[in-house]
Amino acid sequence: MAYEYLRQRDDLFVFSTKNDKDYVVAFQFSTDYFTHTCTHCKSIYEVYVNCINDDEPPYDSQTMETVMSIINEFSQNGTVAAVMYKCYNGDGKGCKREARFERTFENSELENFEFYSHTYEFEVDEGTIELRYNLLAASNHMNYGEIVDEFYQAPNYWISDSTFEEE
C-alpha cells in the first residue's frame, strides 16, 4: 500500500514514511538521453527519488510502491513516452533497488508501459564504472520502438555527456 503523497507541481511530489523519512520525487525532462539516435522522441523523463532527511534510509516496501503510484499519476495524461530511473549505487544497494523497482512495476497498475533494464560498464582512467538504468516505456507511444532501441544502443553517446558523478 502506497503512502499518501502531495503533488506540489506538475513534476514534483512529496511524501513521508511511517519512519518519518521525507521523500521528494521529481521528474525532469530528459536532456541527456534519447537525443542522439531518436532526435524527434519527446516526453521522456528521468525520475529522481531523494530522501531529504536521511542519506541511507532503511528499507521500506511502501516507499517504492509510492514512487510507482506517483509515476502512474504523472503518466496518466497519455503524453509521457518513457520514464528513466538510474539506480544509485554509491551505497552498494543499487542491484537490490533495481530488483525492487522491477518487482514493484510488475505488481503496479501502470498500464501500457513495458519495463527494460540494462547495466552498462565503461572503462575509464580510474577503472570500471557501472551504471544501472531502468526504462518504463509507453508501449502505445508512436516512438516506442525507437526509444527502446536507443536505450540499448546509445550508452556511448550518454557516457560522452556524463561526468559519472553519483547522484
Side-chain angles (χ1 to χ4, degrees), residues 42-60:
K42 305 292 183 219
S43 300
I44 300 169
Y45 296 87
E46 188 164 6
V47 62
Y48 296 93
V49 180
N50 187 23
C51 182
I52 59 174
N53 60 347
D54 192 338
D55 289 338
E56 294 187 31
Y59 172 70
D60 178 348

Side-chain angles (χ1 to χ4, degrees), residues 60-115:
D60 178 348
S61 63
Q62 287 178 269
T63 299
M64 194 56 77
E65 290 177 35
T66 305
V67 171
M68 200 59 66
S69 292
I70 290 169
I71 291 171
N72 189 26
E73 181 175 327
F74 180 75
S75 63
Q76 279 186 348
N77 67 7
T79 63
V80 174
V83 175
M84 288 272 299
Y85 174 64
K86 180 180 169 187
C87 289
Y88 167 74
N89 198 36
D91 58 3
K93 298 178 183 176
C95 289
K96 288 181 182 178
R97 223 177 263 115
E98 184 177 36
R100 286 186 202 123
F101 187 78
E102 182 175 9
R103 231 180 357 261
T104 305
F105 168 76
E106 289 170 355
N107 296 320
S108 75
E109 297 177 12
L110 193 58
E111 296 179 8
N112 299 318
F113 278 80
E114 297 295 327
F115 178 86

Side-chain angles (χ1 to χ4, degrees), residues 113-129:
F113 278 80
E114 297 295 327
F115 178 86
Y116 297 92
S117 179
H118 198 67
T119 301
Y120 301 105
E121 291 184 1
F122 305 100
E123 296 296 326
V124 293
D125 294 339
E126 298 80 26
T128 301
I129 293 182

